Amino acid sequence: MKINLKLFLTILLSAVGGGLLYAQNLVKVSGVVTSADDGLPMVGVAVMAGPGTGVITSLDGDYVIEVAPGTELTFSSIGFEDDKVVVPSVETFTYNVVMQSEAMNLDDAVVIAYGVRKKGTVAGSVSTVKSEKLENTPTAAFDQALQGQVAGLTVLSSTGEPSASATMTIRGTNSINSGTSPLYILDGVEISAADFNTINPADIESMSVLKDASSTSIYGARAANGVIVITTKRGRNMDRPNINYRMQLGWSAMAHGNWDLMNTAERIQYEKEIGMTAGQNYDYLSKIDVNWMDVVFNDAAMLQSHEIAISGATDKTNYYMSGGYYDQEGIAPGSLFERYSMRFNFEHRMAEWLKMGSNTMFNYQNIQQADEGSYALVTPISASRFMLPYWNPFKADGSLASVNDGSWKGQGQNPMEWLENNPLSYKKYKVISTAFAEFTLYRNLVFKSQFSVDFSHVTGFSQSFPSYLPNQGEGSASRNSSDGMNLQVTNTLTYRFDIDNTHDFNFLIGQEGQNYHSEAFGVATKGQTNDLLTDIQQGTRATSWNSTASSDYSRMSF
């Protein structure tokens, strides 16, 4: 019996000792994982000690794992660079990690053509503009925010219209007879310069300007004038959704001083000197002194912008949602730009070998454009330089002087009244949506397929009211409408590898197809007799009709 007891104790002590010896060979590793962007703890970061072995960080960003000495721990999260550490041979090891954002680190990475490269590995001439440079500039579109940001990029705005796009050229004029505009790519989709104001600058993550042939060659002849690649924002990894609200409020005025025009006293003196005094009542006229530049141009045109964005991510999913309202008055009368925009970007890793996502943008615009026109007394911009200082555009009660009741004493028509009786407006609806699937076929061998839809609908409406005396009791109206649909499919196969972490190789083969279809029509009628019923259907006759039944083109490239 004693022998059996001794044997039992011996086996028990051996088991406990073995367990203690085994426990002593493990290292308890702990720490906190935070984001370098905002310093907040990160939840859901994978801490892996090998295939199928690991933990994830808690709501407070901390973790605890026991591994053998010499084990390499890998900290990974979508949108952030991996962090690795080798566990030393100690009993406990504290390792706090600060994760560096992969998508936001624009100093180290640039988006070029069909992928992302480290800045030091790009042989061509590429410049990148950070999102902060764009979103803090009070402009309706990103093009004007690029002024002075990129060497070799010229951005010129030929008009003060808030809705008008600027003209961009890269390294000067590259063609005499052909176009000089660069190729614009938004999240892999080709867009035109007319779409600049449909993109909320606050939604842009980065912009890469590809300048030389080595950078743009993959796009072919389309990129002869350079390429501007626009990438929109994605969600950041954190323990809770990030909600951001931004508001801008401002005023705009003419950038240059007024023309040195005559005032009333100078004009009267001039007329007397040249003998142009017939029929003039200078006692009455000398009491009126109007600066037409001040009448026509608004020196406090209001601008307001409201944006809200919600973003977040987990170890498998990231999302970015935003909504915005932008309203800007032009400095010229009859000029206005109003935009409502929404965006939803979503990515989800369905499996280790499959990632899917979608980028969608909705946009509505209300546009009024000032009638620049030719030099004529009825167009306010030119009239501001032609009108005489003793022609008062307003009555004593502040209302507009009118040719209808004889209160307008100047020649021709009061340009401010003409503008009020001949309104012109546009509405634009825009949708750009892409969906993609990314397959990891083998280590570093990735196949990506992307399909995109770009749809736009634009309408225009102009009126001329019958009560306006020059119309002789007969109004007119016109409407026009245009629709465009651009479909694009892109398939790429990419293989990347490096040798000794020194030499990087990237091989890409791809195919891209594009199909564009558009149609438009316009109609104008005349003979309306009521200001409230001045539309094309109330006209007694059609004065013009034009229609573009269909316009198509397709492209296939490899």
Side-chain angles (χ1 to χ4, degrees):
M1 186 68 182
K2 293 182 179 180
I3 295 176
N4 292 336
L5 181 60
K6 289 181 179 179
L7 180 61
F8 173 75
L9 292 174
T10 301
I11 295 174
L12 179 62
L13 291 173
S14 298
V16 173
L20 290 174
L21 180 61
Y22 176 75
Q24 288 174 355
N25 289 335
L26 294 180
V27 179
K28 183 179 181 181
V29 185
S30 62
V32 178
V33 181
T34 57
S35 169
D37 296 325
D38 48 28
L40 295 176
M42 294 179 58
V43 62
V45 177
V47 184
M48 303 301 295
T53 304
V55 297
I56 62 173
T57 56
S58 67
L59 292 175
D60 297 324
D62 53 13
Y63 71 94
V64 177
I65 187 172
E66 292 185 348
V67 295
T71 301
E72 183 181 68
L73 294 180
T74 301
F75 300 80
S76 61
S77 179
I78 293 178
F80 291 84
E81 297 180 355
D82 290 350
D83 188 275
K84 297 181 179 181
V85 64
V86 177
V87 178
S89 181
V90 293
E91 291 184 3
T92 60
F93 178 54
T94 301
Y95 185 70
N96 296 322
V97 184
V98 179
M99 301 289 284
Q100 300 292 331
S101 176
E102 189 176 58
M104 296 294 293
N105 193 355
L106 300 181
D107 289 332
D108 300 329
V110 293
V111 180
I112 61 171
Y114 297 95
V116 180
R117 303 288 180 271
K118 289 185 177 180
K119 197 168 185 178
T121 64
V122 179
S125 179
V126 180
S127 297
T128 301
V129 180
K130 297 182 180 182
S131 60
E132 291 82 0
K133 296 288 186 179
L134 304 173
E135 62 186 13
N136 292 329
T137 304
T139 57
F142 67 86
D143 51 353
Q144 297 179 19
L146 280 177
Q147 290 180 330
Q149 301 295 334
V150 177
L153 176 65
T154 303
V155 182
L156 296 176
S157 181
S158 59
T159 175
E161 284 288 349
S163 61
S165 300
T167 301
M168 290 193 276
T169 56
I170 298 177
R171 291 184 172 176
T173 302
N174 299 316
S175 174
I176 298 176
N177 298 321
S178 184
T180 60
S181 298
L183 175 67
Y184 305 102
I185 304 295
L186 172 65
D187 288 334
V189 181
E190 180 181 347
I191 62 173
S192 66
D195 296 328
F196 287 170
N197 56 23
T198 65
I199 305 171
N200 187 350
D203 290 336
I204 297 176
E205 176 79 53
S206 67
M207 295 184 63
S208 298
V209 181
L210 317 184
K211 305 175 186 178
D212 60 3
S214 64
S215 301
T216 63
S217 58
I218 195 169
Y219 289 105
R222 297 180 298 156
N225 298 312
V227 182
I228 296 180
V229 182
I230 307 166
T231 304
T232 57
K233 291 181 177 179
R234 303 294 187 270
R236 298 186 184 185
N237 197 318
M238 54 180 54
D239 59 344
R240 59 182 65 89
N242 180 32
I243 302 176
N244 184 35
Y245 171 76
R246 298 176 69 252
M247 184 190 74
Q248 290 183 335
L249 184 66
W251 290 266
S252 56
M254 290 187 65
H256 301 285
N258 294 339
W259 285 21
D260 187 13
L261 303 176
M262 291 182 180
N263 58 27
T264 296
E266 293 169 336
R267 177 67 189 185
I268 292 175
Q269 180 182 353
Y270 169 76
E271 291 180 1
K272 290 180 178 179
E273 288 176 353
I274 64 174
M276 209 174 78
T277 59
Q280 297 285 54
N281 184 356
Y282 288 126
D283 291 336
Y284 171 76
L285 295 179
S286 61
K287 300 176 182 179
I288 304 172
D289 192 1
V290 177
N291 186 329
W292 276 90
M293 295 289 288
D294 293 338
V295 171
V296 171
F297 294 102
N298 188 353
D299 60 354
M302 187 174 178
L303 177 155
Q304 61 173 322
S305 174
H306 304 270
E307 301 158 359
I308 185 169
I310 303 174
S311 62
T314 65
D315 57 335
K316 291 185 177 181
T317 305
N318 75 76
Y319 60 90
Y320 175 85
M321 297 178 291
S322 72
Y325 172 75
Y326 185 91
D327 182 27
Q328 182 177 1
E329 298 175 353
I331 61 173
S335 177
L336 173 71
F337 179 69
E338 187 179 27
R339 178 182 66 202
Y340 299 84
S341 61
M342 294 181 62
R343 171 169 288 279
F344 180 63
N345 293 347
F346 176 80
E347 292 181 2
H348 181 69
R349 183 166 292 280
M350 311 292 291
E352 289 295 328
W353 53 273
L354 174 61
K355 182 172 71 172
M356 302 182 71
S358 174
N359 305 323
T360 303
M361 179 195 77
F362 302 95
N363 192 275
Y364 166 75
Q365 299 175 9
N366 180 26
I367 302 171
Q368 296 179 18
Q369 293 186 345
D371 190 345
E372 300 176 11
S374 58
Y375 277 149
L377 292 180
V378 295
T379 56
I381 293 179
S382 60
S384 65
R385 297 167 174 83
F386 294 152
M387 290 292 165
L388 299 184
Y390 47 66
W391 292 347
N392 195 341
F394 301 104
K395 300 178 184 178
D397 61 1
S399 60
L400 287 174
S402 175
V403 295
N404 291 4
D405 57 12
S407 57
W408 168 250
K409 304 300 183 181
Q411 295 181 6
Q413 304 164 35
N414 182 351
M416 306 304 291
E417 184 192 21
W418 181 90
L419 183 67
E420 190 175 74
N421 285 275
N422 293 270
L424 173 63
S425 63
Y426 297 92
K427 297 185 188 307
K428 184 174 183 178
Y429 306 82
K430 185 76 172 179
V431 177
I432 299 179
S433 182
T434 65
F436 72 88
E438 189 175 284
F439 305 86
T440 303
L441 305 178
Y442 184 67
R443 189 188 324 173
N444 298 330
L445 180 63
V446 178
F447 173 75
K448 182 177 181 179
S449 182
Q450 176 173 289
F451 176 76
S452 65
V453 178
D454 180 355
F455 173 76
S456 61
H457 174 66
V458 181
T459 63
F461 181 40
S462 66
Q463 298 171 288
S464 187
F465 297 123
S467 63
Y468 188 40
L469 188 63
N471 289 338
Q472 298 180 346
E474 188 176 56
S476 62
S478 68
R479 286 188 180 273
N480 58 74
S481 175
S482 64
D483 296 278
M485 173 78 79
N486 184 30
L487 304 178
Q488 183 175 316
V489 59
T490 305
N491 298 303
T492 58
L493 182 64
T494 307
Y495 181 60
R496 302 174 59 183
F497 67 94
D498 65 81
I499 299 177
D500 297 331
N501 293 322
T502 303
H503 306 286
D504 294 317
F505 296 88
N506 190 342
F507 297 91
L508 181 144
I509 58 175
Q511 171 270 331
E512 188 170 82
Q514 183 180 9
N515 179 269
Y516 178 79
H517 171 82
S518 67
E519 53 189 51
F521 81 92
V523 62
T525 64
K526 201 168 186 178
Q528 292 84 348
T529 58
N530 190 313
D531 287 2
L532 300 178
L533 298 173
T534 306
D535 208 336
I536 55 175
Q537 67 266 33
Q538 281 84 36
T540 58
R541 62 191 184 277
T543 56
S544 68
W545 180 280
N546 60 80
S547 175
T548 302
S550 179
S551 176
D552 299 86
Y553 74 81
S554 299
R555 173 182 60 84
M556 184 72 72
S557 58
F558 298 89

